[in-house]
Amino acid sequence: MTQKLRIGVLISGRGTNLQAIIDACEEGKIAGKVIFVGSDNPQAEGLNRARRHKIATFSVNYASIIKEIKENPESANFPPDVNLDELLIRQSLISAKADTERIMFFLRSRVIAEAKLLEKMKPYPFDLLVLAGFMRNLTPYFIDRVNTAPGSPRIMNIHPALLPAFPGVDGYGDTYRYGCKVGGCTVHFIDYGEDTGPIIGQKAFQISEDDTLETVKKKGLELEWTIYPECINLFAQGRLKIARKTYALANSKKVTRTVVEILKSS
Ligand code: GAR
């Protein structure tokens, strides 16, 4: 890619990963530029970091949207471009066994918020959407509207654990409490599941008897600040290739996985 990669970032909080990405762009470590920073939380500290670098910001207040729909469910309709049957088939964030009301409330509230998010993103055409501590699951409604080219995902996430271990909202906490001797972080593409998408990069650190949850978080975060820019730059260089791989298992069954291959630099 000769032109600079146009990067959109979504955050929920303090934005230290965002800062690392902005700095890496400015230092030429990523052949790209952050063109917007959006948040589900209007108070996110990271929005100020973006403003300091003169990057466009916006927010969609998920908490107030969810609260409003809870209090007044009749008033909330899916956006007109939703295909509900397809959404129900594709979504895997809530078990299909959960009660219908719960599934519908989750999908309706998230899709309404996501439609607003997409609207706010519209003025800023981007090549890659980076989730940097964005603490909301994205539904297939949003994902399909960003990933328009089949086989070329373009939403990246960083997760504070060595996936597929410890998906969810507290990766370092789960790692520490489990008594793991190694912790780490993972950069992956988003798919329809929670933290299940194909893995791009991982870094690990040792956990010793002297470590506390705080030191584990600190060690992990420092690795995040290096691995996320590295993975984004691989994307900018066109070196991430999605591949479907089928493996024969000992029990004569087969397993097929979608993985990321990292191409050699040319
Ligand atoms: C990071 O540790 C990131 O891995 C995690 O949130 C933190 C954000 O920190 N993300 C998730 O847990 C996503 N499920 P930051 O706002 O300082 O970049």
Side-chain angles (χ1 to χ4, degrees), residues 13-17 132-135 157-160 168-169 172 221 224:
R14 73 196 154 180
T16 63
N17 275 288
F134 184 66
M135 302 306 280
N157 182 42
I158 190 153
H159 182 75
V169 295
Y172 293 135
L221 205 52
E224 292 185 35

Side-chain angles (χ1 to χ4, degrees), residues 199-229:
I199 290 172
I200 301 163
Q202 294 185 299
K203 278 195 191 213
F205 57 88
Q206 293 293 321
I207 302 175
S208 72
E209 288 305 318
D210 298 333
D211 274 307
T212 62
L213 178 53
E214 275 57 50
T215 61
V216 163
K217 283 185 178 170
K218 187 167 179 286
K219 286 182 185 179
L221 205 52
E222 276 169 18
L223 292 183
E224 292 185 35
W225 300 332
T226 62
I227 195 167
Y228 217 177

